[in-house]
Amino acid sequence: MPDARSLIEKIDTLLPLRPEEALEYCRELRSIALERRIYELLIQEEGLRGRSYFAESRNQEGRKFLSQAVTWYRQRHKPEPGSLLINSVGADFLQLSRFPEARLWLAAAVQNAVTSKLPRVLYKSLYNLGKVEQRSGNLAAARDYFERSLATAHTVHEAVTHRGVLLQSLASVSSGLGDLRKTEKYLHAGQQEALRLGQWERSLSMAREISRQMIVQREYHQARVLLFQSMETAREHGLVREELLVSISLAQVLFRLDQRGVLLQVLLRGQRLLEEHQDLRDRETAELYKYLAVSYEKIFNDQDRSSRYYQLYRYFSGLKDRGDAL
C-alpha cells in the first residue's frame, strides 16, 4: 500500500483534469486515514474529494466536502490550510477555463487570506485571479492583481521561487497593453531573478520574451546573439524542451536576417530533437514545424516538404496548453 504523502501528491497531479482517477486514489487515502485514525489526514482526503467532485461538475457534493474540510480547519484555528484549499478549488476552475466559478472561489481565498493575515495564501490567490483576468482578456485588471501579488510575495520568504513567474506574467500583460517600458523592466528583472536562483528553464523562457521585444524593435542582431547564448545554456543543462523553444525564436530572427544556411541547421536539429523526444510535441513546440514549412516554401521552393511540415504543424498545434496556476 502506498504511503499517504505519495497518494496526496498523486491526487494533486491528477486534478483537475482526471478527477475519476483522483477519486480512486482518494478512496485509498481515506482507508489509510481511518485505519490509522489520523483525522487531519481524513480532512485532507475530504478536501481532495471535494475538488474532484467540482472537477466532475458534481457541485453539490463538492461543496459538501469542501465545507466540511474548511469548517474543521477553522474550528481548530488552522486558517491557512483551509484558505489554501479554497485557492486550490479556484485554481482548478482556472485550469478548466470555468472563469466565473474561478473568480468566486479565488475572491473568497483572498478575503480569507486578508482577514486571517495569510500572505502565503494571498499572493497565490491574487496571482491566480490575475491569470483568470489575463485569459479573459482583461489585461489591465490582470496587471493590477499581478502587481499586488508581487508586492505580497516580497514579504514571503518561501515565495522567492515564484517571483520569476509573477514578473513574467507582468511582462506579458504589460506587452499586451502596449507598455514597452514596463515590459522590458519586468522581463530583465525576471531573468536576473531566475539566474540568481538557478532556475534555468525560467531564465531561458524570459530570454525568449526579451528576444521577442528585440524583434519588435527590429534589433535582430542583438536577438540573434541572445538566442544563440540561450541555446548553449539549454544544451549545457540538458533542457531539450527549452532548446526547442529557443530554436523556434531563433528561426524567426534568422528568417528575417535571410541567413538560410544557419536557419536550416537550427531547424533540422530541432526536428531531430522532436523525433527523439516525441513526448515534447505540443502547441508550443509545433511552431518548429511551421517554420520548417515556411522555410521550405519561401526560401527553398520545396512544396512537397513544406506541405508535410504544415500537416505536422496543424496536427500538433491542436493540443492543449499546459496549466499555469499556483
Side-chain angles (χ1 to χ4, degrees), residues 70-257:
V70 171
T71 299
W72 190 91
Y73 287 125
R74 186 181 298 120
Q75 289 174 343
R76 283 151 184 80
H77 307 290
K78 296 182 176 182
E80 186 161 288
S83 297
L84 282 171
L85 180 56
I86 294 170
N87 172 71
S88 293
V89 176
D92 289 344
F93 282 132
L94 165 61
Q95 195 170 344
L96 293 168
S97 299
R98 291 160 62 177
F99 299 140
E101 293 160 295
R103 285 190 183 94
L104 287 173
W105 284 89
L106 291 170
V110 168
Q111 183 177 358
N112 280 13
V114 171
T115 302
S116 301
K117 299 180 181 178
L118 303 170
R120 289 192 297 182
V121 181
L122 183 59
Y123 88 87
K124 292 181 180 182
S125 302
L126 287 168
Y127 169 81
N128 289 333
L129 272 170
K131 296 305 292 187
V132 171
E133 298 307 331
Q134 183 181 18
R135 290 178 57 185
S136 300
N138 305 319
L139 300 187
R143 185 161 71 177
D144 179 60
Y145 281 125
F146 290 149
E147 287 176 341
R148 290 165 60 192
S149 176
L150 183 62
T152 305
H154 279 298
T155 70
V156 180
H157 176 71
E158 299 92 323
V160 65
T161 57
H162 288 147
R163 288 207 291 261
V165 178
L166 289 166
L167 288 162
Q168 190 166 17
S169 294
L170 275 164
S172 178
V173 294
S174 296
S175 177
L177 290 166
D179 192 334
L180 182 60
R181 183 184 64 81
K182 279 195 173 182
T183 301
E184 291 180 340
K185 169 190 168 185
Y186 289 131
L187 283 174
H188 287 285
Q191 189 190 25
Q192 290 305 307
E193 184 90 3
L195 285 172
R196 185 174 65 82
L197 296 172
Q199 296 176 332
W200 304 115
E201 291 183 39
R202 178 68 53 191
S203 170
L204 291 167
S205 178
M206 301 293 264
R208 287 190 289 110
E209 293 293 338
I210 292 169
S211 75
R212 288 194 186 103
Q213 294 301 311
M214 291 176 172
I215 291 170
V216 169
Q217 298 174 71
R218 300 188 178 185
E219 298 172 347
Y220 301 134
H221 290 285
Q222 295 93 317
R224 183 183 187 279
V225 171
L226 174 63
L227 290 168
F228 268 116
Q229 290 174 343
S230 298
M231 186 173 290
E232 288 301 316
T233 300
R235 290 176 184 173
E236 180 184 349
H237 295 281
L239 300 172
V240 179
R241 177 179 171 78
E242 289 304 320
E243 183 181 347
L244 282 166
L245 296 177
V246 169
S247 298
I248 293 165
S249 296
L250 185 54
Q252 298 176 46
V253 174
L254 295 172
F255 196 87
R256 286 168 171 80
L257 290 171

Side-chain angles (χ1 to χ4, degrees), residues 15-73:
L15 290 172
L17 300 179
R18 294 158 66 182
E20 291 183 6
E21 292 179 57
L23 283 168
E24 289 296 324
Y25 286 108
C26 280
R27 294 184 185 96
E28 290 187 46
L29 184 62
R30 188 176 186 84
S31 296
I32 294 173
L34 290 171
E35 180 184 335
R36 300 178 185 175
R37 298 183 181 180
I38 304 175
Y39 295 108
E40 187 156 2
L41 184 59
L42 188 62
I43 294 304
Q44 284 183 274
E45 187 276 334
E46 289 191 347
L48 292 166
R49 180 179 294 272
R51 288 174 58 193
S52 302
Y53 286 142
F54 274 123
E56 288 189 318
S57 296
R58 295 162 64 179
N59 292 346
Q60 186 173 353
E61 292 161 289
R63 288 192 193 94
K64 172 187 172 183
F65 284 96
L66 260 296
S67 177
Q68 289 174 183
V70 171
T71 299
W72 190 91
Y73 287 125

